[in-house]
Amino acid sequence: MLYHKIKSDTIRPRMLPAVLCFVLIFFVFGCRFNQDTNDHFAAAENLLAAGRITDAANYYDLFLESEHDSEKRYKAWERLLLIHLDINRDVERGLSILRTMSMEFEREPDKIWSIYTRIGILYSKLKRHESAVNILERAVHVAPDDKKQTRSYINLSQAYQAEKSFIKAVDALNQARKMESYSLPEKQSEIDYLLGRIHYQEGNLQKARQYLEKSYRIEENQNYRAKSGILLHDVYLEMENMDMADQILIELKDFYPNPAVIRMRMQQE
């Protein structure tokens, strides 16, 4: 019995460092585990990457409920927009998220401009034209730089055009033409095309031709050059200028994104 007691007493001191080490490891990893389980943003990111969309949305919601000062909040809202608006196509939920964001980030110019712009575009898609105009007017006033303000005037013009307020639509585009960004050829092409389209809708063929010709001759923006060219062809047809109409089609053949459209128009003449 004495032998066993002495042996036991001898082993215990030797075991102490190992026991302490085990406790320390358990404590460190236990704390890390608790920390990880409370990291709702990281969990949401992992779930989103794994395609578990609903679970990811729940964890982004948990993160936004618990973290009030985190720099990741805007990113979390963006992820929820991606899930509900882009993936699930839930426009009303997307609008709800954007309205909440507009209150949270109203003092941050870049963010609030982007939020107002997206709200306005969504309202336009829903044909809620008055609401679209109101929020896009606010976007004009909060735009943090020249390029964004130019884009706001363009968006506002399209909202006015959608509600058939053509005079206001033209006024908004004329404001865009005064901006420094208008000196960029690709921006000139877009704005002049939109002006030409409005005048065409109003039946003013001369003004429509004037702006569409300017847009069409700018090669830096092939997208709006193609749009201007096809509408310019219609203008010349209505003006009964067949030579110019034919010339436009011949030129469009070289760069219009859908050659079948050009071939069809040529066959119709």
Side-chain angles (χ1 to χ4, degrees), residues 19-253:
V19 172
L20 288 173
C21 184
F22 174 81
V23 171
L24 182 61
I25 291 172
F26 180 84
F27 177 78
V28 170
F29 280 94
C31 288
R32 185 174 297 175
F33 176 78
N34 289 333
Q35 193 174 40
D36 289 343
T37 55
N38 289 328
D39 192 346
H40 297 131
F41 184 84
E45 293 281 274
N46 291 333
L47 289 165
L48 183 61
R52 294 171 57 183
I53 306 301
T54 302
D55 291 334
N58 290 335
Y59 272 89
Y60 285 123
D61 284 331
L62 287 171
F63 169 77
L64 289 167
E65 288 173 8
S66 59
E67 296 291 336
H68 300 292
D69 300 318
S70 173
E71 295 180 359
K72 297 177 183 176
R73 285 187 62 84
Y74 190 78
K75 193 172 183 179
W77 284 119
E78 289 279 346
R79 293 287 197 266
L80 284 175
L81 276 177
L82 171 69
I83 292 169
H84 294 297
L85 187 58
D86 299 330
I87 297 175
N88 294 336
R89 304 293 182 184
D90 188 341
V91 177
E92 289 298 336
R93 183 67 185 276
L95 276 171
S96 177
I97 291 170
L98 284 165
R99 291 191 200 100
T100 303
M101 292 174 70
S102 71
M103 291 184 286
E104 180 170 341
F105 300 104
E106 63 180 347
R107 297 181 184 276
E108 300 184 44
D110 281 308
K111 291 184 176 68
I112 195 61
W113 176 83
S114 177
I115 292 165
Y116 284 163
T117 298
R118 283 184 285 183
I119 292 174
I121 291 171
L122 284 179
Y123 278 144
S124 292
K125 287 181 178 178
L126 293 170
K127 301 189 184 306
R128 294 161 63 176
H129 301 305
E130 184 177 351
S131 297
V133 165
N134 289 338
I135 198 71
L136 290 172
E137 285 178 342
R138 295 172 71 181
V140 167
H141 295 299
V142 301
D145 57 52
D146 181 274
K147 286 184 179 180
K148 287 183 172 63
Q149 193 165 37
T150 302
R151 172 51 53 195
S152 290
Y153 278 124
I154 293 171
N155 292 337
L156 180 59
S157 170
Q158 291 176 315
Y160 279 133
Q161 189 176 358
E163 66 173 7
K164 309 300 183 185
S165 298
F166 294 123
I167 294 176
K168 291 181 178 180
V170 170
D171 287 344
L173 287 173
N174 283 332
Q175 289 298 321
R177 293 178 77 221
K178 296 176 184 178
M179 305 300 293
E180 186 178 338
S181 299
Y182 183 70
S183 62
L184 301 172
E186 61 271 18
K187 194 56 63 182
Q188 288 181 36
S189 181
E190 179 183 3
I191 292 170
D192 289 340
Y193 162 73
L194 293 172
L195 281 165
R197 190 176 70 179
I198 292 171
H199 288 301
Y200 179 75
Q201 286 182 301
E202 288 188 296
N204 191 332
L205 296 181
Q206 286 294 345
K207 276 196 171 183
R209 183 197 62 79
Q210 173 189 340
Y211 285 110
L212 291 171
E213 278 281 5
K214 288 174 64 178
S215 176
Y216 179 66
R217 300 304 170 189
I218 297 174
E219 298 184 1
E220 284 83 353
N221 193 332
Q222 290 294 299
N223 177 35
Y224 280 99
R225 189 183 184 211
K227 290 181 178 181
S228 296
I230 207 73
L231 188 54
L232 189 59
H233 174 256
D234 291 336
V235 169
Y236 280 126
L237 285 179
E238 292 191 34
M239 295 176 73
E240 299 184 352
N241 189 337
M242 302 307 296
D243 290 339
M244 284 304 301
D246 290 343
Q247 181 61 36
I248 293 293
L249 283 185
I250 292 169
E251 294 172 359
L252 281 170
K253 273 200 318 181

Side-chain angles (χ1 to χ4, degrees), residues 1-32:
M1 294 291 292
L2 181 60
Y3 169 78
H4 287 296
K5 185 178 187 303
I6 292 171
K7 187 176 180 181
S8 177
D9 290 342
T10 304
I11 290 172
R12 284 176 185 152
R14 290 179 182 176
M15 290 178 61
L16 189 58
V19 172
L20 288 173
C21 184
F22 174 81
V23 171
L24 182 61
I25 291 172
F26 180 84
F27 177 78
V28 170
F29 280 94
C31 288
R32 185 174 297 175

